Amino acid sequence: MKTKRVAAVLAIAGGVLFLRTAMAFDVNAGPIWNNAYAQTTCPSVCGSLRWNGQWTTTVPGQMSVCGTVQGVDVPVGPIWNNDDAQTKCPSQLRRVTWNGQWRTTEPGRMSVCGCNPPPPAM
């Protein structure tokens, strides 16, 4: 019984941690005419962010947005030092603003840059 309680607490804690670090926001994409067009447009406009498969027309014939789901930290490959981060983070976070933070998640293989979401799509 104690094992089940520990597993339940860990599952809840993991869910809370996910909710705390995950965010979703929309990226302006210009006009999107249909779902087939969104399939090719959204992955490219989302850049280093992950497209969540959703899109919405905000101004008919003029503007649509692609939904993204990305943690506060965006994976960018290895960052070797702070000078390297000053170059890599801004260039990899084309659609969002780098918040100046970065960390290594897998030494020699992967680092992440912290980001602020773009302003709400209009």
Side-chain angles (χ1 to χ4, degrees):
M1 188 65 148
K2 189 173 185 177
T3 304
K4 287 182 182 180
R5 274 192 217 148
V6 170
V9 168
L10 289 175
I12 291 168
V16 169
L17 180 61
F18 174 76
L19 291 174
R20 185 172 165 247
T21 61
M23 63 182 166
F25 45 89
D26 293 335
V27 176
N28 286 329
I32 296 178
W33 309 111
N34 54 46
N35 197 50
Y37 189 72
Q39 299 296 317
T40 58
T41 301
C42 288
S44 65
V45 300
C46 289
S48 60
L49 304 175
R50 186 173 46 123
W51 180 42
N52 67 9
Q54 303 296 310
W55 65 277
T56 304
T57 295
T58 55
V59 180
Q62 293 180 17
M63 185 59 65
S64 297
V65 294
C66 299
T68 65
V69 174
Q70 186 63 51
V72 175
D73 295 327
V74 177
V76 297
I79 295 176
W80 306 111
N81 55 44
N82 199 47
D83 289 336
D84 192 30
Q86 301 297 318
T87 302
K88 285 185 181 170
C89 290
S91 69
Q92 293 291 318
L93 303 178
R94 296 182 320 222
R95 302 282 178 188
V96 295
T97 305
W98 181 40
N99 67 13
Q101 303 296 311
W102 68 276
R103 66 186 171 86
T104 297
T105 56
E106 295 177 54
R109 296 192 63 197
M110 186 59 66
S111 297
V112 294
C113 299
C115 68
N116 298 318
M122 302 265 176

